[in-house]
Amino acid sequence: MNKHTESIVCSFQGQSMTNELPQWDPSVTVFSRSQRPTRDEVEAMAQMMGLGFQSSRLMQHWAGDTSVSGIVELMRMTLWAGLRYGWVATTWDDSVPTAVSVWIPPGVRVPAWWQASLLPSMVRQFGLTQACLILRDLIVLDGVHSAADREIGEHAYLLTIVTHPGYRRQGHFARLMMPVVDWCDHVGCAAYLESDDTGESDPDKWNRYRYRNFGFRLYGNGIPVSAEALRLLYPAMIRPKRPQHS
């Protein structure tokens, strides 16, 4: 499966500029608002992402149990956010998605009203109490993101990245990360993400250390999402804008 890279127009540093998307490897398929996946492709990606995040304590807490189905529904919502406001970059093995990343480009923010619009579907899927818990945590995450935005300026936001458990340590993660990092340096912007390390008890295997290899560093002291139940500090990470050389 392969679809050619498209152009994207985004607002950046007060100007409208047209740039090619990051220089993805030919094996990477990029979906967006103008190049949408089929319903079957969306479902395949959501199912794989649910499997990849199955051990995440935070995702289990949001979904209300340890089953994959609730996490899959959360991943469907994440994919639709990426397709509406950014890029969904993926690698595939025939019809099986091996890795998925969701990026929101500089100059674009997923608006609060869009998150609020998810409430009815979340209530149907998870119940009112659980849906309110998820929205409350999203508001906390958004507050830290806004604070980072004021510090680092325009940035690309990695909403999520996950590799199929059966395809890990094969370079898929780097194939989806490195082109965007290089692109950020090319256009002169920062990058931001939140690292979900809640499914790994061994600190040596935490994702935050993998992100450091791409120039990210911890921002603040962590985000207290679902603090009462999980007592977790969910790390935010920033990659400041690099000086551009003429």
Side-chain angles (χ1 to χ4, degrees), residues 60-106:
Q60 291 170 6
H61 187 58
W62 281 359
D65 56 39
T66 58
S67 70
V68 175
S69 60
I71 301 174
V72 168
E73 181 61 27
L74 293 171
M75 293 302 103
R76 291 190 189 102
M77 296 175 185
T78 302
L79 286 168
W80 288 122
L83 291 169
R84 183 176 181 122
Y85 296 105
W87 322 316
V88 176
T90 63
T91 56
W92 297 74
D93 182 1
D94 292 327
S95 60
V96 177
T98 54
V100 175
S101 63
V102 179
W103 290 90
I104 306 299

Coordinates of all heavy atoms in Angstrom, one line a residue, residues 60-106:
Q60 N -6.5 2.1 29.7 CA -7.4 1.2 30.4 C -8.3 2.0 31.3 O -9.5 1.7 31.4 CB -6.6 0.2 31.2 CG -5.8 -0.8 30.4 CD -4.9 -1.6 31.3 OE1 -4.9 -1.5 32.5 NE2 -4.0 -2.5 30.7
H61 N -7.8 3.0 32.0 CA -8.6 3.8 32.9 C -9.6 4.6 32.2 O -10.7 4.7 32.6 CB -7.6 4.7 33.7 CG -8.3 5.5 34.8 ND1 -9.0 4.9 35.8 CD2 -8.4 6.8 35.0 CE1 -9.5 5.8 36.6 NE2 -9.2 7.0 36.2
W62 N -9.2 5.2 31.0 CA -10.1 5.9 30.2 C -11.2 5.0 29.7 O -12.4 5.4 29.7 CB -9.4 6.6 29.1 CG -8.7 7.9 29.5 CD1 -8.7 8.5 30.7 CD2 -7.9 8.8 28.7 NE1 -7.9 9.6 30.7 CE2 -7.4 9.8 29.5 CE3 -7.6 8.7 27.3 CZ2 -6.6 10.9 29.0 CZ3 -6.8 9.8 26.8 CH2 -6.3 10.8 27.6
A63 N -10.8 3.9 29.2 CA -11.8 3.0 28.5 C -12.7 2.3 29.6 O -13.7 1.7 29.2 CB -11.1 1.9 27.7
G64 N -12.3 2.3 30.9 CA -13.1 1.7 31.9 C -12.8 0.2 32.2 O -13.5 -0.4 33.0
D65 N -12.0 -0.4 31.4 CA -11.6 -1.8 31.6 C -10.3 -2.1 30.9 O -9.7 -1.2 30.3 CB -12.7 -2.7 31.1 CG -13.1 -2.5 29.7 OD1 -12.2 -2.3 28.8 OD2 -14.3 -2.6 29.3
T66 N -9.9 -3.4 30.9 CA -8.7 -3.7 30.2 C -8.9 -4.3 28.8 O -8.0 -4.8 28.2 CB -7.9 -4.8 31.1 OG1 -8.8 -5.9 31.3 CG2 -7.5 -4.2 32.4
S67 N -10.1 -4.3 28.3 CA -10.4 -4.9 27.0 C -9.9 -3.9 25.9 O -9.7 -2.7 26.2 CB -11.9 -5.1 26.8 OG -12.6 -3.9 26.8
V68 N -9.7 -4.4 24.8 CA -9.2 -3.6 23.6 C -10.3 -2.8 23.1 O -10.1 -1.7 22.6 CB -8.6 -4.5 22.5 CG1 -8.2 -3.7 21.3 CG2 -7.4 -5.3 23.1
S69 N -11.6 -3.2 23.2 CA -12.7 -2.5 22.4 C -12.8 -1.1 22.8 O -13.0 -0.2 21.9 CB -14.0 -3.3 22.6 OG -14.3 -3.3 24.0
G70 N -12.8 -0.7 24.1 CA -12.9 0.6 24.5 C -11.7 1.5 24.0 O -11.9 2.6 23.6
I71 N -10.5 0.9 24.1 CA -9.3 1.7 23.6 C -9.4 1.9 22.1 O -9.1 2.9 21.6 CB -8.1 0.9 24.0 CG1 -8.0 0.7 25.5 CG2 -6.8 1.6 23.5 CD1 -6.8 -0.2 26.0
V72 N -10.0 0.9 21.4 CA -10.1 1.1 19.9 C -11.0 2.2 19.6 O -10.8 3.0 18.7 CB -10.7 -0.2 19.3 CG1 -11.2 0.0 17.9 CG2 -9.7 -1.3 19.3
E73 N -12.1 2.4 20.4 CA -13.0 3.5 20.2 C -12.3 4.9 20.4 O -12.5 5.8 19.6 CB -14.2 3.4 21.1 CG -15.2 4.6 20.9 CD -15.8 4.6 19.5 OE1 -15.9 3.6 18.9 OE2 -16.3 5.7 19.1
L74 N -11.4 4.9 21.4 CA -10.6 6.1 21.7 C -9.7 6.4 20.5 O -9.5 7.5 20.1 CB -9.8 6.0 23.0 CG -10.6 5.9 24.3 CD1 -9.7 5.6 25.4 CD2 -11.3 7.3 24.5
M75 N -9.2 5.3 19.9 CA -8.2 5.5 18.8 C -9.0 5.9 17.5 O -8.4 6.7 16.7 CB -7.5 4.2 18.5 CG -6.5 3.8 19.7 SD -5.3 5.1 20.0 CE -5.9 5.8 21.5
R76 N -10.2 5.5 17.4 CA -11.0 6.0 16.2 C -11.2 7.5 16.3 O -11.0 8.2 15.3 CB -12.4 5.4 16.2 CG -12.4 3.9 15.9 CD -13.8 3.4 15.6 NE -13.9 1.9 15.5 CZ -14.3 1.1 16.4 NH1 -14.7 1.6 17.6 NH2 -14.3 -0.2 16.2
M77 N -11.5 8.0 17.5 CA -11.6 9.5 17.7 C -10.3 10.2 17.5 O -10.3 11.3 16.9 CB -12.1 9.7 19.2 CG -13.5 9.2 19.5 SD -13.9 9.4 21.2 CE -15.5 8.5 21.3
T78 N -9.2 9.6 17.9 CA -7.9 10.2 17.7 C -7.6 10.3 16.2 O -7.1 11.3 15.7 CB -6.8 9.4 18.4 OG1 -7.1 9.3 19.8 CG2 -5.4 10.0 18.1
L79 N -7.9 9.2 15.4 CA -7.7 9.2 14.0 C -8.5 10.3 13.3 O -8.0 11.0 12.4 CB -8.0 7.8 13.4 CG -7.0 6.7 13.7 CD1 -7.6 5.3 13.4 CD2 -5.7 6.9 13.0
W80 N -9.8 10.4 13.7 CA -10.6 11.4 13.0 C -10.1 12.8 13.3 O -10.2 13.7 12.5 CB -12.1 11.2 13.5 CG -12.7 10.0 12.8 CD1 -13.3 9.0 13.5 CD2 -12.8 9.7 11.4 NE1 -13.8 8.0 12.6 CE2 -13.5 8.5 11.3 CE3 -12.4 10.4 10.3 CZ2 -13.7 7.9 10.1 CZ3 -12.7 9.8 9.0 CH2 -13.3 8.5 9.0
A81 N -9.5 13.0 14.5 CA -8.9 14.3 14.8 C -7.8 14.6 13.9 O -7.6 15.7 13.3 CB -8.5 14.4 16.3
G82 N -6.9 13.6 13.7 CA -5.8 13.7 12.8 C -6.2 13.9 11.4 O -5.6 14.7 10.6
L83 N -7.2 13.2 10.9 CA -7.7 13.4 9.5 C -8.3 14.7 9.3 O -8.2 15.3 8.2 CB -8.6 12.2 9.2 CG -8.0 10.8 9.1 CD1 -9.1 9.8 9.0 CD2 -7.1 10.7 7.9
R84 N -9.0 15.3 10.3 CA -9.6 16.6 10.1 C -8.7 17.7 10.2 O -8.8 18.7 9.5 CB -10.7 16.7 11.2 CG -11.5 18.0 11.0 CD -12.7 18.1 12.0 NE -13.4 19.3 11.9 CZ -14.7 19.4 11.6 NH1 -15.4 18.3 11.5 NH2 -15.3 20.6 11.5
Y85 N -7.7 17.6 11.1 CA -6.8 18.8 11.4 C -5.3 18.6 11.1 O -4.6 19.5 11.2 CB -6.9 19.1 12.9 CG -8.3 19.6 13.3 CD1 -9.2 18.7 14.0 CD2 -8.8 20.8 12.9 CE1 -10.5 19.1 14.3 CE2 -10.1 21.2 13.3 CZ -10.9 20.4 14.0 OH -12.2 20.8 14.3
G86 N -4.9 17.4 10.7 CA -3.5 17.2 10.5 C -3.2 16.0 9.5 O -3.8 15.9 8.5
W87 N -2.2 15.2 9.9 CA -1.7 14.1 9.1 C -1.7 12.8 9.9 O -1.4 12.8 11.0 CB -0.3 14.4 8.6 CG 0.1 15.8 8.3 CD1 -0.6 16.7 7.5 CD2 1.3 16.5 8.7 NE1 0.1 17.8 7.4 CE2 1.3 17.8 8.1 CE3 2.4 16.1 9.5 CZ2 2.3 18.7 8.3 CZ3 3.4 17.0 9.6 CH2 3.3 18.3 9.1
V88 N -2.1 11.8 9.2 CA -2.0 10.4 9.8 C -1.0 9.7 8.9 O -1.3 9.3 7.8 CB -3.3 9.7 9.8 CG1 -3.2 8.3 10.3 CG2 -4.3 10.5 10.7
A89 N 0.2 9.5 9.4 CA 1.3 8.8 8.7 C 1.4 7.3 9.1 O 1.4 7.1 10.3 CB 2.6 9.5 8.9
T90 N 1.4 6.4 8.2 CA 1.3 5.0 8.5 C 2.3 4.1 7.7 O 2.7 4.5 6.6 CB -0.1 4.5 8.2 OG1 -0.4 4.6 6.8 CG2 -1.2 5.3 9.0
T91 N 2.6 3.0 8.3 CA 3.3 2.0 7.5 C 2.4 0.7 7.5 O 1.7 0.5 8.5 CB 4.7 1.6 8.1 OG1 4.6 1.2 9.5 CG2 5.6 2.8 8.0
W92 N 2.5 -0.1 6.4 CA 1.7 -1.2 6.3 C 2.4 -2.5 5.8 O 3.5 -2.3 5.1 CB 0.6 -0.9 5.2 CG -0.3 0.2 5.6 CD1 -0.1 1.5 5.5 CD2 -1.7 0.1 6.0 NE1 -1.2 2.2 5.9 CE2 -2.2 1.4 6.2 CE3 -2.6 -1.0 6.2 CZ2 -3.5 1.6 6.7 CZ3 -3.8 -0.8 6.6 CH2 -4.3 0.5 6.9
D93 N 1.9 -3.6 6.2 CA 2.4 -4.9 5.6 C 1.2 -5.5 4.9 O 0.3 -6.1 5.6 CB 2.9 -5.8 6.7 CG 3.4 -7.1 6.2 OD1 3.4 -7.3 5.0 OD2 3.8 -8.0 7.0
D94 N 1.1 -5.2 3.6 CA -0.1 -5.5 2.9 C -1.3 -4.8 3.5 O -1.3 -3.6 3.5 CB -0.4 -7.0 2.8 CG 0.7 -7.7 1.9 OD1 1.2 -7.1 1.0 OD2 1.0 -8.9 2.2
S95 N -2.3 -5.5 4.0 CA -3.5 -4.8 4.6 C -3.4 -4.6 6.1 O -4.3 -4.1 6.7 CB -4.7 -5.6 4.2 OG -4.7 -6.9 4.8
V96 N -2.2 -4.9 6.7 CA -2.0 -4.8 8.1 C -1.2 -3.6 8.4 O -0.1 -3.4 8.0 CB -1.3 -6.1 8.7 CG1 -1.1 -5.9 10.2 CG2 -2.1 -7.3 8.4
P97 N -1.8 -2.6 9.2 CA -1.0 -1.4 9.6 C 0.0 -1.8 10.6 O -0.3 -2.5 11.6 CB -2.1 -0.5 10.2 CG -3.2 -1.4 10.6 CD -3.2 -2.5 9.7
T98 N 1.3 -1.5 10.3 CA 2.4 -1.9 11.3 C 2.7 -0.7 12.2 O 3.3 -1.0 13.3 CB 3.6 -2.3 10.5 OG1 4.0 -1.2 9.5 CG2 3.3 -3.5 9.7
A99 N 2.4 0.5 11.9 CA 2.7 1.7 12.7 C 1.8 2.8 12.3 O 1.5 3.0 11.1 CB 4.1 2.1 12.7
V100 N 1.4 3.6 13.2 CA 0.5 4.8 12.9 C 1.0 6.0 13.8 O 1.3 5.8 15.0 CB -1.0 4.5 13.3 CG1 -1.8 5.8 13.1 CG2 -1.5 3.4 12.4
S101 N 1.1 7.1 13.2 CA 1.4 8.4 13.9 C 0.4 9.4 13.5 O 0.0 9.5 12.3 CB 2.8 8.9 13.7 OG 3.0 9.2 12.3
V102 N 0.0 10.2 14.4 CA -1.0 11.3 14.2 C -0.3 12.6 14.5 O 0.0 12.8 15.7 CB -2.3 11.1 15.0 CG1 -3.3 12.3 14.7 CG2 -2.9 9.8 14.6
W103 N -0.2 13.5 13.6 CA 0.5 14.8 13.8 C -0.5 15.9 13.5 O -1.2 15.9 12.5 CB 1.7 14.9 12.8 CG 2.9 14.1 13.1 CD1 3.1 12.8 12.6 CD2 4.0 14.4 14.0 NE1 4.3 12.3 13.1 CE2 4.9 13.3 13.9 CE3 4.3 15.5 14.7 CZ2 6.1 13.3 14.7 CZ3 5.5 15.5 15.4 CH2 6.4 14.4 15.4
I104 N -0.4 17.0 14.3 CA -1.1 18.2 14.0 C -0.1 19.2 13.7 O 0.9 19.5 14.4 CB -1.9 18.7 15.3 CG1 -2.8 17.6 15.8 CG2 -2.7 20.0 14.9 CD1 -3.9 17.1 14.8
P105 N -0.1 19.8 12.5 CA 0.9 20.7 12.0 C 1.0 22.1 12.7 O 0.0 22.4 13.4 CB 0.6 20.9 10.5 CG -0.8 20.7 10.4 CD -1.2 19.7 11.5
P106 N 2.1 22.8 12.5 CA 2.2 24.1 13.1 C 1.0 25.0 12.7 O 0.6 25.0 11.5 CB 3.5 24.6 12.7 CG 4.1 23.6 11.8 CD 3.2 22.4 11.8

